[in-house]
Each structure stands twice: as C-alpha cells, then as structure tokens.
Amino acid sequence: MSALTREAVLAALATVEDPAFHKPMLELGTLLEVVVENESVRASVRLSAPSDELQMTIRERIHSALKPLGVDQVILEWDLQVPTRDVGQEDPIPQVRNVVLVMSGKGGVGKSTTAVNLTLALKRAGARVGLLDADIYGPSIPTMLGIQGFPSSEDGKTIEPLERFGVKLMSIGFLMEDPKAAIVWRGPMLHGALQQFLQDVRWGELDYLIVDLPPGTGDVALSLAQKMKVTGAVIVTTPQEVALQDVYKGVSMCEKLNVPVLGVVENMSFFIDSAGVKHYLFGEGGGQRIAEFAKAPLLGQIPLEPKVREWGDNGTPVVQAVPQSDAAQAFTRIADSLTEIIAKRHFERRGGEKAPSTSGPRRLKIVR
Ligand SMILES: Nc1ncnc2c1ncn2[C@@H]1O[C@H](COP(=O)(O)OP(=O)(O)OP(=O)(O)O)[C@@H](O)[C@H]1O
Ligand SMILES: [Mg+2]
C-alpha cells in the first residue's frame, strides 16, 4: 500500500464538520496541528464546550474520514477554550467568561439542586467553575455542598471564595453568624451585597459562574443583569400545571431584563420504581410547555429520586456522590447540552466566521 501523505490526510479531514458550528473544522480552526507519521495521524482538537457528546461525535467523524485512507492510528489531543460573553469597562468580573442564572419564579422546584449539580457536572467535565449563591434570603449552598466557614481576606479588601470539589463558592450563608436568622434587605443593601459578591470576591479565571437565584420577585436577577452582561438563564420547573404560572412569570422577567433563556430543566419529572417503570407523579408536559413559551430547548428531565435529596442534605450533590444514578446522568447530559448551546450562541453572535477564540486554550482533563 502506498505511504500515507499529509495532503491526502488534510483532504480527508477537510470534509469533517464541527458538530457545534456546522462548518469544516479545519476552516474554523477547531482542528489543528495535524501531523502524519508513518501510518498514524496526530491532531489537536479545540473544543468550545466541555461536552462528552460533542467530543464523541468529533472523534467518530475524524475516524470515519480517515478510515478509507487506511490510517492505523489516530491520536487526538483535546484543548478546551470556552468562548466569552462581552465584557464592558464596568464589568465586575471580567475574567469570568460566562454567567448563567439558574432561576424559576417558583419556589421549591429544585433551583438550588440544579445549580449545584450542574456546577459539579461542569467541573467534572473539565471546566473551571464557580457557584454564587445569590439566594440571600435563604442560602442553600452551604448545606448542599457541606461547607461552612468564614471566607478569608488577605488584604482586607478582597474576599477569597471558599472551595469544595474544586469549585469556587460564595454564599451569604458564609458571612452570617446565624444562618437561620432572617435578613431584611432594602434595595441599596441588596445591590451592594451582590456587587461585593462579584467584584470583591477573587473568582479568578472561570469558564462558567453558575448563579443560584432565590424564588420570586426578581430583584436579585434585576440587580445582576444591571451590573453585567449575563450569558443567559436556565429556567427550572416541575411538570405540574399549578407550578407553571409562576414559571411563566420567571420567563417574562428574563425577557424584560434582556437575559436570554438558554434552556429549561424539568425537575421531579417522574419516579422510576424498582421494576424500572416510570410514574409521572406530578403530571406531564410542564417542561415542554415552558420551553415553548420561552422559545428555548427543553434541556432535560430529572427524575424524582430520594438520593437527590439525601445527598443534597449530606453536602455531596448526587452528581459527585453517585455519578451513575439516573438523576446524576440526567444532570450531566443537561450540562453537556448547556455548554454546547452557550458556545453556539457566542458563535452566532459573532457572525459565525471563525470559532470563537479567546486567549490560552487549556489541555482538557475529564473526570468522568
Ligand atoms: N429530583 C429530585 N428528587 C428528589 N428530591 C429533590 C429533587 N430535586 C429537588 N429535591 C429536593 O427538593 C427540595 C427543594 O429543592 P431545592 O432547594 O433545590 O429547590 P429550590 O427551587 O432551590 O427552592 P427555593 O425556592 O426554596 O430556593 C430539596 O430538599 C431537594 O433536595
Ligand atoms: Mg434554592
């Protein structure tokens, strides 16, 4: 058989489309450093989202493009370069590439559960992540992540975020002597506290900052959206009709604040019994209806699983504690889709010419 030439390899690879951006990867610059040695090919892939599925699709496409050439071995190296939102002069956290609000309008639907599990799924996929508990009325993050303690400050001006499972964390719960005490926030105080949580906390460089919002009126969302360009919101709902009215209000609030809805998560969608049968305890279709109303995709459905609550109460979210469970897998798939949606939005926003690129790609380390 004739020797493998670089020209032949490049010609074959030229047909490989980036599954996120639907253009040839070589053209976009998401497939690079192609080296041909004997019968093997080495190349780097630049991922714009730490998504398992994206990675698998790209691997398959490259393999099947090269197969007809009789390539023995394909060695791929993966870089992660998450695109960034627009950062203005006044932005309090310019090093944070994406800010994602987890919200609902409705209480008790699983916003905090979704926020912590998405955060950990992103971390495990190789992203740099922070979690801001913006529920200043009833912070849940300290309990759900089993962490307490007062954040330190070396210079008396900036605050070092706490860290757990490799994720940077900030919550009003860390600053309260008695976490059960109620705080009455007046507008300017609320604004000031949030400003401090963003500007004064040393978040460092992050791919995603996930923000867990309180239920209800939207004053926190408003305050955040006024301070910076937010990448978008994830709306959490449960399937039943009575929950939906408040969730619609949450979606409308996003529209008013000019915060794009990235997708909808339906939580407590069904219960799977020991025989594997699904029971739709709270009815069906709520998530889909909200998604249609928001003109955004339904990112996924999370089963009602006692483990979710138990591990949440124990300070290790289910994604970290039992990654193979149905609920953890659902959260992980949602995190994958979310990162792809974010990358696509940035790509489209920039006119879709080249893959969104920012400085310093990092070699991807995946823990799952
Ligand atoms: N899929 C699930 N399976 C089982 N329990 C769940 C699930 N999702 C959430 N829970 C439990 O339901 C309760 C409410 O969830 P969570 O605190 O995340 O809701 P929330 O929307 O943040 O509430 P709030 O409006 O008070 O902030 C928690 O005890 C949580 O552990
Ligand atoms: Mg909550």
Side-chain angles (χ1 to χ4, degrees):
M1 202 167 111
S2 62
L4 193 63
T5 64
R6 189 176 146 80
E7 286 65 39
V9 167
L10 287 178
L13 291 177
T15 63
V16 177
E17 267 202 2
D18 190 304
F21 305 136
H22 306 293
K23 284 194 170 180
M25 292 185 73
L26 281 177
E27 216 175 277
L28 286 167
T30 51
L31 179 60
L32 55 176
E33 294 164 32
V34 180
V35 177
V36 181
E37 267 170 2
N38 304 324
E39 300 306 302
S40 81
V41 173
R42 242 179 321 121
S44 293
V45 180
R46 184 151 297 173
L47 283 175
S48 49
S51 155
D52 223 18
E53 205 184 299
L54 187 64
Q55 208 176 358
M56 245 156 48
T57 312
I58 292 174
R59 183 180 287 119
E60 275 164 20
R61 287 187 182 182
I62 291 176
H63 276 261
S64 45
L66 293 178
K67 207 171 165 197
L69 303 184
V71 175
D72 272 350
Q73 204 186 16
V74 183
I75 303 162
L76 297 175
E77 288 195 334
W78 303 84
D79 285 336
L80 176 61
Q81 197 179 46
V82 173
T84 182
R85 68 205 164 90
D86 286 335
V87 170
Q89 289 266 308
E90 304 277 290
D91 197 291
I93 40 172
Q95 290 177 296
V96 175
R97 296 181 179 198
N98 291 286
V99 178
V100 177
L101 310 181
V102 178
M103 55 194 284
S104 176
K106 171 90 180 147
V109 291
K111 294 178 293 297
S112 302
T113 302
T114 302
V116 294
N117 281 293
L118 281 185
T119 299
L120 283 170
L122 292 170
K123 175 68 203 168
R124 294 165 65 82
R128 297 168 298 183
V129 210
L131 175 59
L132 170 61
D133 184 355
D135 192 343
I136 47 173
Y137 308 101
S140 319
I141 298 314
T143 307
M144 288 189 174
L145 286 165
I147 186 163
Q148 267 171 358
F150 212 79
S152 61
S153 173
E154 271 175 28
D155 55 6
K157 291 192 201 104
T158 55
I159 306 170
E160 210 57 55
L162 296 185
E163 206 168 312
R164 181 123 155 98
F165 306 121
V167 169
K168 293 189 175 157
L169 304 166
M170 192 60 208
S171 168
I172 193 80
F174 300 150
L175 304 176
M176 285 155 65
E177 304 254 311
D178 174 9
K180 293 193 183 66
I183 306 183
V184 181
W185 293 95
R186 284 174 286 111
M189 262 170 79
L190 172 82
H191 223 63
L194 287 173
Q195 182 73 13
Q196 218 183 357
F197 275 5
L198 296 168
Q199 191 151 303
D200 298 347
V201 172
R202 295 165 70 97
W203 292 106
E205 279 206 31
L206 293 181
D207 295 317
Y208 307 97
L209 178 66
I210 305 296
V211 187
D212 179 21
L213 288 194
T217 55
D219 45 353
V220 173
L222 170 68
S223 183
L224 288 171
Q226 280 172 346
K227 291 183 204 314
M228 64 196 163
K229 193 114 192 118
V230 170
T231 306
V234 168
I235 304 283
V236 183
T237 184
T238 47
Q240 70 270 43
E241 197 64 50
V242 288
L244 300 186
Q245 290 313 319
D246 287 338
V247 184
Y248 286 126
K249 281 185 205 148
V251 173
S252 304
M253 193 168 74
C254 285
E255 272 166 21
K256 275 202 208 101
L257 299 178
N258 222 353
V259 171
V261 176
L262 302 170
V264 176
V265 171
E266 189 187 78
N267 188 25
M268 309 191 200
S269 298
F270 44 77
F271 174 76
I272 307 175
D273 68 18
S274 51
V277 179
K278 280 185 186 175
H279 301 272
Y280 293 86
L281 301 178
F282 300 126
E284 285 178 70
Q288 189 57 46
R289 246 170 293 158
I290 297 293
E292 279 160 20
F293 180 71
K295 300 188 187 66
L298 177 62
L299 295 170
Q301 295 175 303
I302 314 293
L304 184 76
E305 228 176 80
K307 279 195 206 81
V308 172
R309 191 194 51 75
E310 286 158 24
W311 283 106
D313 287 349
N314 281 327
T316 307
V318 73
V319 160
Q320 183 74 19
V322 207
Q324 296 316 318
S325 62
D326 291 326
Q329 296 274 313
F331 279 123
T332 302
R333 281 194 301 272
I334 289 171
D336 270 12
S337 317
L338 181 66
T339 60
E340 281 186 53
I341 287 169
I342 290 174
K344 276 182 196 160
R345 289 190 73 102
H346 286 306
F347 182 64
E348 282 158 15
R349 197 165 55 84
R350 304 223 159 101
E353 279 309 314
K354 266 221 168 259
S357 115
T358 39
S359 66
R362 293 167 311 113
R363 199 104 305 174
L364 190 61
K365 286 199 203 80
I366 302 170
V367 211
R368 62 181 188 208

